[in-house]
Amino acid sequence: MNDFNFVDEELDLLSQNGLKRELKTVITAGGPWVELSGGKRVLQFSSNNYLGLSNHPEVINACKAAVSKYGTGSTGSRLLSGTTELHASLEKALAEFENTESSVFFSSGYAANSGVLSALINKDDAVYSDELNHASIIDGIKLSGAQKFIYNHNNISHLESLLKENKDNFKRNFIVTDTVFSMDGDIAPLEQIGIIAEKYNCFTIADEAHATGVFGKKGSGIVEELNLGKSFPVKIGTCSKAFGVEGGFCAGPKSVIELIKNKARSFMFSTSPSPAIIGAILKSLELVIDGSWRREKLWQNAKLLHSGLKKNFKLKLNDFKTPIIIIYFNSIEEAMNIDEKLFNECHIWAPAIRPPTVKESRIRLTPIATHSQDDIEYVIKAFDYLSKDIKPQPLGVSN
Ligand SMILES: Cc1ncc(COP(=O)(O)O)c(C=O)c1O
């Protein structure tokens, strides 16, 4: 009974279906090129290090300075001994960045979503959630105990019909959406969601994880870029992607943040993030705000890559809306075949994304601001070379 045989059976099943994941070990700092255990040097196209800040000397120095002053650990949860002056400064700076009254920092974006949603939403409420929302949103909704209604991806009329049918049966109604969908590289129709929220008296929560640092003049995301702060007063962001560090946050009205600090279990029952991380983020935030040239370089690289790949008629690409470039495949096998060839023959690291993460297998390419033009052109050539193994997708296959 105690030999956990069922585990081997599950693992075998994953292998048989081409769904077993293996980890690759990196032995250098993150950047446009990385070296892996065994010595292979690869062109990195699978990170979320959009602005290339994960290895920035000023961020590293700020991290070292925080360790020297405060030591390695935060020594306790935020509500006990784990709030240093750095944590307080970061929350103030993030609120200013997001143009909100207040903010609260979590150890990850995952912890932010699971904590915020379960703190603000109760079991008498309903949540209307885009079908492609991130797993951390899905888990946060589960934890809240609220009734969940899934609307078809970015489909406002479906959202509206669900609201019309159900909203009167619940104490409060919440609409929750990613602003950038990380596995399709597209954007939520935020303006329309704002209008619907107003019309049906709903609360909104927008997750800007992949938009933070990438959109907006000062880089706080799409809500800033579209000037939709009134429609989306509560925002989630991450410091693990464009900021090049880690952690997540929620920014919003003072009372909302106060309640989250008093109710979110992932905030209350977990050791506070270390001062070193907070020191690094404070510097990174400065670089994000002052670094519009980094955003421009990121967008330039992404545009070059998308337009180059688009010339290859065998590839089925997403539309160009964000720096996340997706190539869809007919099957898991075809995506895995290209993943392996990209890696083994072309030294490009862009792993296939497969079910259950997504329905349709794909390669997700994420150029960053520190890739050179040569790096980008090399990837385009690599796909031209590999195209002999790619069957064009039949028309009508949906994204
Ligand atoms: C939309 C979205 N929200 C939240 C997260 C979780 O953020 P973190 O990686 O900081 O835990 C992710 C991670 O990819 C994400 O894509």
Side-chain angles (χ1 to χ4, degrees):
M1 188 62 194
N2 232 342
D3 55 8
F4 283 83
N5 278 344
F6 72 93
V7 171
D8 292 331
E9 284 163 23
E10 274 194 36
L11 287 172
D12 285 348
L13 198 62
L14 286 173
S15 294
Q16 281 162 27
N17 292 327
L19 295 177
K20 181 143 180 287
R21 268 68 167 177
E22 303 292 344
L23 306 183
K24 289 189 170 68
T25 308
V26 180
I27 60 168
T28 53
W33 288 83
V34 291
E35 198 172 319
L36 300 175
S37 161
K40 189 172 173 114
R41 208 169 157 259
V42 289
L43 192 48
Q44 169 63 287
F45 266 82
S46 64
S47 81
N48 295 318
N49 182 21
Y50 297 112
L51 301 179
L53 291 177
S54 73
N55 192 23
H56 193 286
E58 288 181 47
V59 178
I60 294 171
N61 283 339
C63 187
K64 284 182 184 165
V67 172
S68 301
K69 180 162 180 198
Y70 300 94
T72 47
S74 67
T75 80
S77 71
R78 285 293 303 280
L79 296 182
L80 296 177
S81 57
T83 299
T84 67
E85 57 190 329
L86 288 184
H87 293 79
S89 306
L90 178 62
E91 286 174 341
K92 194 160 174 278
L94 286 171
E96 207 171 298
F97 177 58
E98 292 286 344
N99 202 19
T100 56
E101 282 176 356
S102 187
S103 89
V104 51
F105 186 76
F106 291 78
S107 54
S108 68
Y110 185 96
N113 270 328
S114 55
V116 169
L117 297 182
S118 55
L120 294 182
I121 305 172
N122 295 318
K123 62 176 183 4
D124 304 335
D125 301 333
V127 186
Y128 303 80
S129 173
D130 187 288
E131 67 170 319
L132 296 188
N133 275 345
H134 189 256
S136 53
I137 292 183
I138 296 168
D139 293 357
I141 297 171
K142 267 188 206 152
L143 283 173
S144 76
Q147 174 80 43
K148 177 172 76 173
F149 297 98
I150 306 290
Y151 59 91
N152 296 340
H153 180 49
N154 281 347
N155 187 329
I156 292 295
S157 35
H158 190 211
L159 168 62
E160 183 162 17
S161 70
L162 287 173
L163 274 164
K164 266 189 196 151
E165 201 179 320
N166 298 293
K167 76 169 181 54
D168 292 335
N169 300 329
F170 297 93
K171 192 163 174 195
R172 284 177 288 257
N173 293 278
F174 288 80
I175 304 173
V176 184
T177 185
D178 289 10
T179 62
V180 167
F181 292 89
S182 61
M183 293 300 151
D184 287 82
D186 58 349
I187 295 177
L190 293 184
E191 266 181 68
Q192 290 160 280
I193 291 176
I195 294 167
I196 290 283
E198 181 80 30
K199 184 168 168 191
Y200 293 95
N201 205 13
C202 298
F203 297 92
T204 61
I205 300 177
D207 177 356
E208 295 259 45
H210 288 268
T212 312
V214 174
F215 285 87
K217 195 158 179 290
K218 65 177 171 182
S220 80
I222 300 184
V223 172
E224 177 205 337
E225 177 145 326
L226 300 180
N227 197 17
L228 290 174
K230 282 216 169 70
S231 302
F232 296 91
V234 176
K235 292 173 279 178
I236 310 284
T238 53
C239 300
S240 53
K241 305 189 193 306
F243 279 59
V245 194
E246 66 182 45
F249 60 89
C250 176
K254 199 161 177 279
S255 54
V256 169
I257 301 302
E258 247 348 90
L259 185 67
I260 291 168
K261 285 182 180 165
N262 281 278
K263 267 184 83 184
R265 294 167 69 83
S266 56
F267 177 81
M268 297 166 77
F269 301 115
S270 184
T271 295
S272 159
S274 74
I277 291 300
I278 308 296
I281 297 171
L282 277 163
K283 177 50 73 179
S284 187
L285 177 59
E286 273 176 35
L287 299 177
V288 166
I289 294 169
D290 296 339
S292 51
W293 62 271
R294 284 194 184 85
R295 268 184 285 292
E296 277 160 30
K297 185 70 198 326
L298 165 68
W299 280 98
Q300 208 178 311
N301 278 345
K303 201 167 175 190
L304 184 65
L305 181 58
H306 193 274
S307 59
L309 292 171
K310 211 170 170 167
K311 292 191 186 120
N312 183 335
F313 80 96
K314 284 201 168 174
L315 302 180
K316 186 187 172 201
L317 286 186
N318 62 345
D319 290 338
F320 183 61
K321 300 277 191 242
T322 71
I324 299 170
I325 294 167
I326 306 292
I327 303 172
Y328 298 92
F329 292 93
N330 292 304
S331 64
I332 297 173
E333 293 71 31
E334 198 178 31
M336 287 307 292
N337 177 37
I338 297 302
D339 161 328
E340 278 158 25
K341 291 197 161 130
L342 271 177
F343 187 77
N344 294 331
E345 296 179 31
C346 309
H347 294 243
I348 294 169
W349 191 9
I353 314 287
R354 297 167 268 171
T357 310
V358 291
K359 277 194 205 138
E360 194 183 359
S361 294
R362 62 201 64 183
I363 299 272
R364 173 180 185 267
L365 293 164
T366 44
I368 65 174
T370 48
H371 278 126
S372 68
Q373 188 170 331
D374 284 351
D375 294 337
I376 304 286
E377 282 167 359
Y378 174 73
V379 176
I380 297 166
K381 283 198 195 116
F383 272 95
D384 287 340
Y385 160 73
L386 294 177
S387 286
K388 59 183 185 310
D389 295 321
I390 298 175
K391 280 192 228 101
Q393 279 215 352
L395 284 175
V397 172
S398 70
N399 287 2

